[in-house]
């Protein structure tokens, strides 16, 4: 199980570091059956995150044809006031900049590849939705971004983690821990996921939403 975690200018550090740490622990717990790397659309480079300016180094270019997972984080910045479109440090502007890079087309290629699955944390699903890649797909994001998902044709779900087969999304920033544990559970097995959960002293929250079973009757 290989995971490419994408960095772009203005990324949210916790969206990246939380699943990275979980998956790296999974590598140790499986004696190397899990691997994870930081990548960017432009190739190896230092990439500066949003609020706080924490920089991480991408060690390779995003490969949309490499079997495994591609994980897209959200951006870190101010939410911005209604109608504010030019704030350089706002989340909408940071996501908009990412849309002007090669990232959207690389993600389009990744999502079209039968051996590549995609995961998102927080605003990562919003980035894909704005690129027109989530139309008709159930997904979650930060609670402040659910209306945006609906507006782009995606199906916003109020859940901590949404599993739609080859697309798995996490909600708010700390959901990256839960998403990482879910990927380990799903791809490797519950015993490894449980061992990593114990190591991090973190219990996953909520039920992973899937489009299975009967529709609930309204309460």
């Amino acid at each position: 199980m290989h995971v490419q975690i994408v960095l772009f200018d203005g990324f949210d550090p916790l969206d990246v570091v939380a699943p990275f740490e979980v998956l790296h622990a999974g590598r140790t717990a499986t004696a190397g059956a899990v691997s994870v790397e930081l990548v960017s659309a432009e190739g190896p480079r230092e990439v500066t995150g949003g609020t706080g300016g924490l920089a991480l180094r991408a060690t390779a270019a995003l490969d949309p044809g490499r079997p495994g997972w591609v994980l897209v984080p959200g951006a870190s910045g101010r939410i911005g006031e209604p109608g504010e479109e030019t704030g350089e440090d706002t989340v909408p502007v940071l996501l908009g900049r990412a849309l002007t890079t090669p990232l959207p087309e690389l993600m389009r290629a990744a999502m079209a590849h039968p051996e590549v699955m995609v995961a998102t944390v927080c605003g990562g699903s919003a980035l894909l939705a704005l690129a027109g890649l989530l139309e008709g797909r159930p997904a979650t994001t930060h609670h402040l971004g659910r209306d945006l998902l609906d507006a782009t044709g995606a199906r916003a779900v109020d859940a901590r983690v949404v599993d739609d087969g080859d697309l798995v999304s996490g909600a708010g920033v700390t959901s990256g821990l839960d998403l990482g544990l879910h990927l380990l559970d799903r791809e490797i097995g519950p015993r490894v996921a449980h061992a990593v959960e114990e190591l991090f002293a973190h219990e996953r929250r909520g039920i992973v939403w899937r489009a299975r079973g009967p529709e609930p009757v309204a309460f």
Side-chain angles (χ1 to χ4, degrees), residues 174-198:
T174 58
S175 68
L177 291 167
D178 294 4
L179 182 137
L181 288 165
H182 174 63
L183 295 185
L184 288 180
D185 188 355
R186 171 178 147 161
E187 300 296 313
I188 305 298
R191 291 167 65 182
V192 167
H194 180 258
V196 175
E197 186 178 70
E198 283 196 314

Side-chain angles (χ1 to χ4, degrees), residues 16-90:
V16 171
V17 173
F20 182 92
E21 291 248 9
V22 168
L23 295 166
H24 192 270
R27 175 183 176 86
T28 301
T30 59
V34 177
S35 56
V36 57
E37 64 177 336
L38 301 180
V39 302
S40 82
E42 299 80 9
R45 69 182 182 99
E46 186 173 90
V47 187
T48 302
T51 304
L54 177 67
L56 296 175
R57 180 160 185 79
T59 57
L62 169 60
D63 181 354
R66 179 166 185 175
W69 289 84
V70 176
L71 190 153
V72 181
S76 175
R78 295 187 301 112
I79 301 301
E81 298 298 326
E84 181 180 359
E85 299 177 353
T86 58
E88 293 296 306
D89 61 345
T90 63

